[in-house]
Amino acid sequence: MNETPEGAGKLRAELQGLGVTTAYEIGDGVTVSVWIGLVVRLRDGFYRWQEGAVKRRHLGTDPVGCAIRVARRYTELQANIPPWWDELAKELRGNSAGDYP
């Protein structure tokens, strides 16, 4: 399966429909950043994401199902910010990130 910008665009549209309005494509056409530390890539026929040490994947032909799973995880992360988040935020954003996810 060839990864195309449409796959990332469809995922992003589905996420927005589920209320995840912060998701954006990073510009390569196959990667959607949902939240710091939660990024989804379309590769080898699968949507793949990792947050912390957890790796997940979902069929690349099902952006709706993937968006549901990712939106659910995004909501969980927002409700209970994992311990790895603080270190990642400081590394990526510097100390100015403070408590803002």
Side-chain angles (χ1 to χ4, degrees):
M1 173 179 179
N2 289 335
E3 284 69 46
T4 63
E6 292 82 31
K10 288 178 184 177
L11 176 64
R12 184 173 170 264
E14 293 296 333
L15 285 167
Q16 286 190 339
L18 293 169
V20 182
T21 59
T22 58
Y24 63 93
E25 292 177 59
I26 66 164
D28 64 0
V30 294
T31 307
V32 176
S33 178
V34 180
W35 191 54
I36 189 168
L38 179 56
V39 176
V40 183
R41 290 177 183 86
L42 182 57
R43 190 181 78 218
D44 300 329
F46 289 94
Y47 289 106
R48 300 172 186 268
W49 68 95
Q50 177 176 349
E51 28 89 17
V54 178
K55 294 181 180 181
R56 301 277 188 247
R57 70 181 190 170
H58 192 90
L59 285 176
T61 56
D62 183 21
V64 174
C66 181
I68 290 169
R69 291 180 68 192
V70 171
R72 184 178 305 131
R73 185 61 185 141
Y74 171 79
T75 302
E76 291 170 355
L77 289 169
Q78 292 289 305
N80 188 19
I81 297 172
W84 54 261
W85 189 88
D86 286 331
E87 290 303 315
L88 182 61
K90 285 178 186 173
E91 180 180 325
L92 295 176
R93 294 182 175 170
N95 290 331
S96 63
D99 294 328
Y100 182 74

